[in-house]
Amino acid sequence: DAPRGWAGQMTPESAKRLNFVGAGITLVTVLIALLWAFPIYWGIVSSIKPEDEVVRPFIELWPENPTLNHYWFALTKTKIGYWYVNSIVTALGVTVLTVSTSMLAGYAISQLRFPGRRPLYWLILASFMVPTQVLIINHFVLMADLGLLNTWAGIILPQLISPVIIIVYKQFFDQVPKDFREAAVMDNATEFGILLKVYMPMNWGVTTALSIVTFIWAWNAFLWPFLAVTNTKMMTITVGITQVNDAFGVYYARQLASAVMAGFPVALAYLLFQRRVTQAITLSAGIKG
């Protein structure tokens, strides 16, 4: 016979066993979260320590003499204002151009019939196998030939390749009922009008999620902005913080303070739009899976 409680009625022993398993899973989750968060905590705490406390050979979880001098140094003695402006302009430029062009490409591949449509889609899928770092030399040579190094355009243009966003839009447009498109065609709407008036109102959630993730990705980009910019005033914040040093050596607390200031905007964006960020990551993971 089946044990008592098997068909919907839980026995006390089963309840205790489930509670024990749940407590174990919760404990492991908390420990993993603490391990993940500790470097962030350590960086923030170290940024408010005097330099002599940072370089001590033992661990101190809280500074003896907290100070904000390192933040003041970053604000007054570096070009962090320029770096913030450059990061905002380039991140917004990458976000707007990537999302808008990917939406147009996804709509065309999904809804239009033109020669070479399938090979184009296969080419986009195949581009997943090409790491962005492989294209760095080509990008650098092209931007140098165009005279776009040390410019906002030179930072933005090579970062506009994002096949995953095209595929996300393509799959979304595939799922929209054909009746909406047919009704718009009967009203003599153009393809651009159909996209703006029929499909766009349906995908604001997807667009918002992808825009937030693209902005965070563009803000955090380091390799290409590091190679494309040598003028200190044109550096983005992620590249500029590497310049926060001194003629007499590296000051770790100053660099950590600059790193905290660099990461604050994206951390705030994630906290404010956590649900949208999670949605975009889920969409991207579903495509790549």
Side-chain angles (χ1 to χ4, degrees), residues 79 83 86 149-151 225 228-236 239 243:
K79 295 179 173 60
W83 302 339
N86 294 333
L149 297 179
N150 290 309
T151 65
V229 177
T230 56
N231 186 343
T232 305
K233 288 186 178 181
M234 290 303 301
M235 291 178 177
T236 60
V239 178
Q243 307 299 309

Side-chain angles (χ1 to χ4, degrees), residues 4 10 61 86 89 160 207 221 228 230 286:
R4 187 178 180 184
M10 185 174 293
L61 296 178
N86 294 333
V89 171
L160 300 182
T207 299
T230 56

Side-chain angles (χ1 to χ4, degrees), residues 3 30 72 130 142 145-146 193 201 254 264 274:
V30 170
W72 181 250
V130 181
L142 180 60
D145 290 343
L146 294 175
R254 291 178 183 176
F264 177 76
Q274 184 177 2

Side-chain angles (χ1 to χ4, degrees), residues 9-282:
Q9 185 178 2
M10 185 174 293
T11 63
E13 292 79 8
S14 300
K16 290 180 180 179
R17 190 181 303 110
L18 287 177
N19 289 336
F20 179 77
V21 173
I25 294 174
T26 302
L27 179 61
V28 172
T29 303
V30 170
L31 290 175
I32 294 174
L34 291 174
L35 289 174
W36 175 86
F38 181 76
I40 300 176
Y41 167 81
W42 184 253
I44 295 174
V45 168
S46 297
S47 69
I48 60 175
K49 288 181 179 180
E51 188 65 29
D52 62 324
E53 293 185 26
V54 175
V55 297
R56 288 176 180 175
F58 50 88
I59 295 177
E60 291 179 334
L61 296 178
W62 189 255
E64 294 180 4
N65 303 295
T67 178
L68 296 177
N69 289 340
H70 307 303
Y71 289 92
W72 181 250
F73 176 88
L75 289 171
T76 59
K77 303 297 184 181
T78 69
K79 295 179 173 60
I80 197 168
Y82 291 99
W83 302 339
Y84 264 121
V85 171
N86 294 333
S87 287
I88 291 171
V89 171
T90 56
L92 285 177
V94 170
T95 300
V96 172
L97 292 174
T98 299
V99 173
S100 58
T101 55
S102 297
M103 182 189 304
L104 293 173
Y107 176 81
I109 295 173
S110 171
Q111 300 298 317
L112 304 183
R113 299 295 180 265
F114 55 89
R117 172 174 165 270
R118 284 191 177 277
L120 176 61
Y121 183 58
W122 293 338
L123 182 63
I124 294 174
L125 289 175
S127 64
F128 279 118
M129 297 183 290
V130 181
T132 305
Q133 292 79 1
V134 174
L135 305 174
I136 287 293
I137 297 177
N138 294 334
H139 289 164
F140 186 86
V141 173
L142 180 60
M143 292 299 106
D145 290 343
L146 294 175
L148 295 179
L149 297 179
N150 290 309
T151 65
W152 286 340
I155 299 174
I156 292 172
L157 291 177
Q159 299 187 75
L160 300 182
I161 303 173
S162 186
V164 64
I165 300 182
I166 297 176
I167 298 174
V168 168
Y169 273 121
K170 191 264 183 188
Q171 289 198 346
F172 176 82
F173 292 140
D174 285 345
Q175 296 172 1
V176 176
K178 300 296 183 183
D179 296 343
F180 292 98
R181 175 179 173 80
E182 293 173 358
V185 171
M186 291 180 64
D187 290 337
N188 296 322
T190 62
E191 293 294 344
F192 198 67
I194 294 173
L195 174 62
L196 290 181
K197 296 180 181 180
V198 178
Y199 287 86
M200 276 291 292
M202 298 181 185
N203 72 357
W204 279 121
V206 175
T207 299
T208 302
L210 294 175
S211 298
I212 294 170
V213 171
T214 304
F215 179 85
I216 293 175
W217 169 78
W219 181 280
N220 289 332
F222 175 80
L223 180 58
W224 174 248
F226 176 75
L227 296 175
V229 177
T230 56
N231 186 343
T232 305
K233 288 186 178 181
M234 290 303 301
M235 291 178 177
T236 60
I237 187 70
T238 53
V239 178
I241 60 176
T242 63
Q243 307 299 309
V244 182
N245 47 34
D246 190 84
F248 300 100
V250 177
Y251 278 66
Y252 297 105
R254 291 178 183 176
Q255 290 193 336
L256 287 170
S258 303
V260 171
M261 295 174 68
F264 177 76
V266 291
L268 182 62
Y270 177 79
L271 291 176
L272 293 176
F273 305 104
Q274 184 177 2
R275 184 171 64 86
R276 293 297 186 187
V277 174
T278 304
Q279 179 185 3
I281 293 173
T282 303

